[in-house]
């Protein structure tokens, strides 16, 4: 089992939901964690919630490569290294394909797919140095298509394919790559407000524990693609 205490992780979209749940699990496991989001007030609020001096709050919009470059530079400056990168930032807009707007299509592709590329492109040299770990948060929508999901399906199918291809490229540098594909999760996704009826869903801390388990796993073992869903439906 790998010792992960003291390692440095970067989580995009770390202000709420899955990203915040993963950040909490990593902080509790003794890691130094950087979280980013588009709104600095939200990022600072999340940092305060995590309540740890080893948490760095960064304003970054993954749609802009320069933002991710700046984020990685801030992490290296603050913590001296980068071991784990978790590309989590994402959004969903749902409509029949004949009604899906260009604005919503571009927002999903630019954030969910191009943003994932920007994050690894900005951080890959640091991960080569640390022989680190890159994790993308995709979705079961990355393998199961559904009505009204053309844009979201396209972005998440893309994330799955991108991460699996990146895994083949980056393992030559001893960088591990995994994509996690959750089903229904209690989160703020698509403007949902978590409530007492969400108990049947996967909880953000469940995914946080999964990430911790991946990081601790024997370095000779790589679960490169993980589907995870609630045990039962509502």
């Amino acid at each position: 089992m790998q010792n992960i205490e003291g390692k440095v992780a970067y989580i995009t979209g770390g202000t709420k939901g899955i990203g915040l749940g993963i950040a909490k699990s990593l902080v509790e496991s003794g890691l130094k964690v950087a979280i980013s989001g588009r709104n600095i007030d939200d990022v600072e609020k999340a940092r305060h919630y995590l309540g740890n001096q080893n948490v760095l709050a960064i304003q970054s919009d993954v749609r802009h490569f320069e933002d991710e470059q700046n984020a990685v530079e801030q992490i290296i400056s603050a913590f001296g290294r980068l071991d784990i990168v978790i590309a989590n930032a994402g959004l969903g807009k749902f409509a029949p394909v004949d009604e899906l707007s260009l604005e919503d299509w571009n927002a999903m592709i630019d954030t969910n797919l191009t943003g994932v590329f920007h994050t690894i492109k900005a951080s890959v040299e640091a991960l080569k140095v640390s022989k680190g770990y890159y994790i993308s948060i995709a979705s079961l929508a990355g393998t199961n298509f559904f009505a009204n999901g053309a844009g979201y399906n396209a972005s998440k199918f893309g994330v799955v394919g991108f991460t699996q291809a990146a895994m083949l490229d980056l393992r030559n540098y001893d960088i591990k790559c995994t994509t996690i594909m959750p089903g229904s999760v209690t989160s703020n996704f698509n403007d949902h407000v978590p409530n007492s009826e969400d108990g049947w869903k996967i909880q953000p801390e469940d995914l946080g524990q999964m990430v911790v388990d991946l990081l601790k796993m024997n370095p000779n073992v790589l679960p490169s693609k993980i589907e995870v869903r609630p045990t039962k439906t509502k």
Side-chain angles (χ1 to χ4, degrees):
M1 183 176 292
Q2 294 280 88
N3 179 15
I4 63 173
E5 189 172 352
K7 288 186 179 291
V8 176
Y10 173 41
I11 306 169
T12 67
T15 64
K16 56 188 176 182
I18 292 173
L20 187 58
I22 293 173
K24 185 172 186 293
S25 294
L26 295 185
V27 167
E28 290 173 349
S29 297
L31 279 76
K32 299 174 182 178
V33 177
I35 55 173
S36 70
R38 285 183 285 181
N39 185 306
I40 190 58
D41 291 335
D42 290 342
V43 185
E44 289 289 354
K45 182 178 178 181
R47 186 190 66 80
H48 180 73
Y49 165 79
L50 293 170
N52 190 288
Q53 63 180 355
N54 288 325
V55 177
L56 180 65
I58 299 173
Q59 183 174 21
S60 180
D61 184 338
V62 298
R63 295 176 299 179
H64 305 307
F65 178 59
E66 294 78 10
D67 280 12
E68 287 297 271
Q69 285 182 305
N70 290 334
V72 171
E73 289 173 1
Q74 289 182 57
I75 295 165
I76 300 297
S77 177
F79 296 136
R81 59 184 293 148
L82 180 56
D83 302 286
I84 301 129
V85 173
I86 300 171
N88 167 72
L91 55 85
K93 304 288 185 180
F94 303 97
V97 68
D98 55 315
E99 299 176 14
L100 182 65
S101 70
L102 290 174
E103 180 182 18
D104 286 348
W105 169 272
N106 289 330
M108 285 185 283
I109 297 300
D110 291 348
T111 301
N112 299 358
L113 183 54
T114 304
V116 164
F117 173 64
H118 286 164
T119 299
I120 188 60
K121 185 69 173 177
S123 62
V124 69
E125 295 305 321
L127 292 178
K128 286 179 182 179
V129 172
S130 64
K131 297 184 178 180
Y133 209 136
Y134 173 74
I135 298 172
S136 66
I137 305 300
S139 168
L140 288 181
T143 192
N144 301 312
F145 51 85
F146 52 88
N148 298 329
Y152 190 68
N153 283 145
S155 69
K156 291 301 185 179
F157 269 70
V159 170
V160 173
F162 171 81
T163 308
Q164 295 305 288
M167 178 267 295
L168 298 178
D169 293 336
L170 298 181
R171 65 182 178 182
N172 295 321
Y173 301 98
D174 294 321
I175 298 172
K176 299 175 90 173
C177 294
T178 297
T179 188
I180 300 175
M181 306 164 65
S184 298
V185 180
T186 298
S187 73
N188 302 87
F189 181 74
N190 200 30
D191 298 324
H192 175 72
V193 178
N195 58 67
S196 59
E197 297 183 2
D198 288 340
W200 64 277
K201 298 178 181 178
I202 301 164
Q203 302 303 306
E205 55 267 29
D206 298 328
L207 295 176
Q209 183 60 56
M210 180 174 290
V211 170
V212 169
D213 291 342
L214 284 170
L215 299 178
K216 289 183 175 181
M217 195 166 289
N218 185 316
N220 293 328
V221 178
L222 178 61
S224 59
K225 182 168 65 173
I226 301 172
E227 294 187 8
V228 55
R229 48 181 52 80
T231 303
K232 298 181 180 180
T233 57
K234 184 176 179 180

